Amino acid sequence: MLMLGLIVAVISLLLSGLAIWQNGRRKQRKLDRVVHLPFFLAIIGILFGNIMAIPTIICAINGNGGTIAFSVFTIGCHSLTIAYLNCVIWYDEKGFAARNFLGVRRQCTFAEVEGLRTGKDQWLYFQGHRILLDEMAIGSKKFISMVKKGYSAAHDGRMLMETANFKRRKDPMNGNIQDPWLYFCIWIGMILMCIFILIVMVITMTSKPTPIEELSFHQMTFTDWKKEDGELHLTVLGR
């Protein structure tokens, strides 16, 4: 448990440092054609992630089973920090490169864009994939304008399809992997397993020990012993 707590604490500090460094780097470079989430989301992740890291370390030092639960909460809080670091779009006159939450980067030309699903948050579809253009993302409006302009230029003036009901074949993994439903079932199984483990942990941590009044004690005196076939036999006085 102690090792797990230390690893989570180091990851928490590392993510915090990377987010602060990346924010300073973005301000210094003043990149115009970049879309990314605002830094205040990373601040929320850093704040609550490090707060959750404190009970994680305390539980780890005491060997408490709550280390696992607090570790999950710590990483969950830092999901905002990870999103700030990884969810980035770079673009120019020809196309763009998009990196998702897991750090996977994909490149696309404006001619390969399939459509744009409109709404409060917009989704851009391309090459069998899609990316979320959050309304809070910095530079998203300029990027969408560039996508429309680039698509029109690549398709002889034809406008990019914009609809609130953009549909593609059902695929929970968004075309990223083959046989997506198998992986989807695996993820559901893992989630159910985590829920079961958390329930067992809560029951174990909250269950009360047996009162000493309900325990029975017996005093015995051994008078002899012998070993047969690898088993130890003891003789009790009076039996």
Side-chain angles (χ1 to χ4, degrees):
M1 288 295 181
L2 180 59
M3 183 60 68
L4 174 62
L6 290 175
I7 292 174
V8 171
V10 170
I11 292 175
S12 179
L13 292 175
L14 182 61
L15 288 173
S16 302
L18 282 174
I20 295 172
W21 172 78
Q22 186 64 260
N23 180 58
R25 184 167 175 262
R26 287 174 181 173
K27 286 184 177 180
Q28 184 179 11
R29 297 179 66 182
K30 295 181 180 179
L31 299 177
D32 183 43
R33 296 184 175 182
V34 176
V35 182
H36 61 84
L37 294 173
F39 184 57
F40 81 84
L41 289 179
I43 292 176
I44 295 174
I46 291 171
L47 178 62
F48 287 97
N50 285 289
I51 289 175
M52 286 291 102
I54 295 174
T56 302
I57 291 294
I58 295 175
C59 290
I61 294 175
N62 296 328
N64 196 313
T67 306
I68 299 176
F70 282 114
S71 297
V72 174
F73 295 150
T74 302
I75 301 302
C77 292
H78 273 300
S79 62
L80 293 175
T81 312
I82 297 172
Y84 172 76
L85 290 169
N86 285 346
C87 298
V88 184
I89 302 173
W90 302 267
Y91 62 96
D92 55 21
E93 293 81 3
K94 297 181 180 179
F96 62 91
R99 190 171 63 194
N100 63 15
F101 181 84
L102 299 177
V104 179
R105 180 169 174 166
R106 295 185 176 87
Q107 291 185 328
C108 176
T109 63
F110 292 132
E112 297 173 304
V113 174
E114 301 173 34
L116 180 68
R117 192 173 76 184
T118 57
K120 184 178 180 181
D121 293 324
Q122 303 186 74
W123 290 87
L124 184 67
Y125 292 79
F126 66 100
Q127 298 177 342
H129 308 287
R130 67 176 181 175
I131 51 175
L132 173 63
L133 302 173
D134 193 282
E135 65 172 352
M136 294 187 298
I138 298 174
S140 61
K141 292 183 179 180
K142 289 184 178 180
F143 171 64
I144 293 174
S145 177
M146 179 65 77
V147 170
K148 294 177 180 178
K149 182 180 178 181
Y151 182 90
S152 180
H155 292 85
D156 299 327
R158 184 156 53 95
M159 302 299 292
L160 176 66
M161 180 177 66
E162 298 181 57
T163 175
N165 298 307
F166 190 96
K167 293 184 179 181
R168 186 189 282 152
R169 67 182 182 84
K170 293 183 178 180
D171 183 353
M173 295 303 174
N174 222 11
N176 294 319
I177 58 176
Q178 294 180 349
D179 197 7
W181 287 107
L182 173 61
Y183 285 86
F184 182 74
C185 293
I186 292 174
W187 277 109
I188 292 297
M190 292 177 63
I191 292 173
L192 293 176
M193 185 180 298
C194 291
I195 293 174
F196 173 76
I197 293 173
L198 288 175
I199 292 174
V200 172
M201 286 175 55
V202 171
I203 293 175
T204 303
M205 294 172 63
T206 57
S207 60
K208 297 181 179 180
T210 303
I212 192 170
E213 295 80 8
E214 298 181 8
L215 299 176
S216 60
F217 299 89
H218 300 277
Q219 185 174 359
M220 295 181 292
T221 302
F222 299 105
T223 58
D224 192 14
W225 67 274
K226 61 181 178 179
K227 188 176 182 181
E228 294 181 357
D229 300 328
E231 295 182 355
L232 182 65
H233 298 269
L234 302 175
T235 302
V236 182
L237 181 64
R239 295 188 180 182

